[in-house]
Amino acid sequence: MIMKKREVIILLGVFVIMVLTYIFIPIINKYNENKLKNQEIKGVVKDKYNDKWNHNVPKILLSNGRTLVIDRWGDQNNDIWYYIEKGDSIYKKEGSLNLEVIKPSMKGIIFKYSE
């Protein structure tokens, strides 16, 4: 079976897109991680929801008006989504990627950022 010139160009294009995606996704993730690391986050959770307009990404709305995507904190054994509730306080100090969730009872837990 001999491929036509058009099929070769399409296959080559798909291959180039895959390679570029493989190269740039980790770079973009590292950039976002560094950007997040240099921010201080604090506030009280006003709402938690899945953003239907953004691939159902889990988010929280803080008392200061900031919206925070929370899918990068926690792991299979320690899922932040099921732990966090309205009224909880959130704190992440600048220079760290750990997010502390403090319940109104003053009990807190630290969630580690995962790639």
Side-chain angles (χ1 to χ4, degrees):
M1 175 172 120
I2 299 174
M3 281 203 231
K4 296 178 183 175
K5 187 175 181 180
R6 182 177 177 195
E7 291 171 337
V8 171
I9 291 172
I10 290 171
L11 284 175
L12 186 59
V14 169
F15 178 75
V16 168
I17 290 171
M18 289 173 58
V19 168
L20 290 175
T21 301
Y22 182 77
I23 292 170
F24 285 109
I25 294 278
I27 293 170
I28 292 168
N29 286 342
K30 192 64 172 174
Y31 169 79
N32 289 334
E33 183 179 309
N34 287 334
K35 185 177 170 185
L36 180 64
K37 190 174 187 175
N38 294 323
Q39 296 176 7
E40 179 183 58
I41 299 171
K42 60 182 174 180
V44 177
V45 178
K46 282 180 62 179
D47 194 15
K48 94 175 190 180
Y49 61 97
N50 288 312
D51 188 350
K52 294 177 183 172
W53 297 103
N54 189 13
H55 306 285
N56 237 12
V57 172
K59 292 184 177 183
I60 57 173
L61 174 64
L62 300 178
S63 56
N64 59 13
R66 181 174 185 170
T67 302
L68 185 63
V69 176
I70 60 169
D71 64 345
R72 293 290 186 162
W73 280 283
D75 56 32
Q76 303 90 342
N77 300 321
N78 201 7
D79 193 347
I80 191 170
W81 179 253
Y82 297 106
Y83 184 78
I84 202 165
E85 298 172 336
K86 291 179 186 178
D88 292 348
S89 296
I90 302 293
Y91 180 71
K92 187 196 84 58
K93 68 180 180 179
E94 186 175 340
S96 172
L97 287 171
N98 294 334
L99 185 72
E100 186 173 10
V101 179
I102 304 165
K103 297 286 187 185
S105 66
M106 300 306 289
K107 178 185 175 203
I109 188 168
I110 296 174
F111 291 90
K112 295 184 185 290
Y113 186 86
S114 61
E115 294 182 13

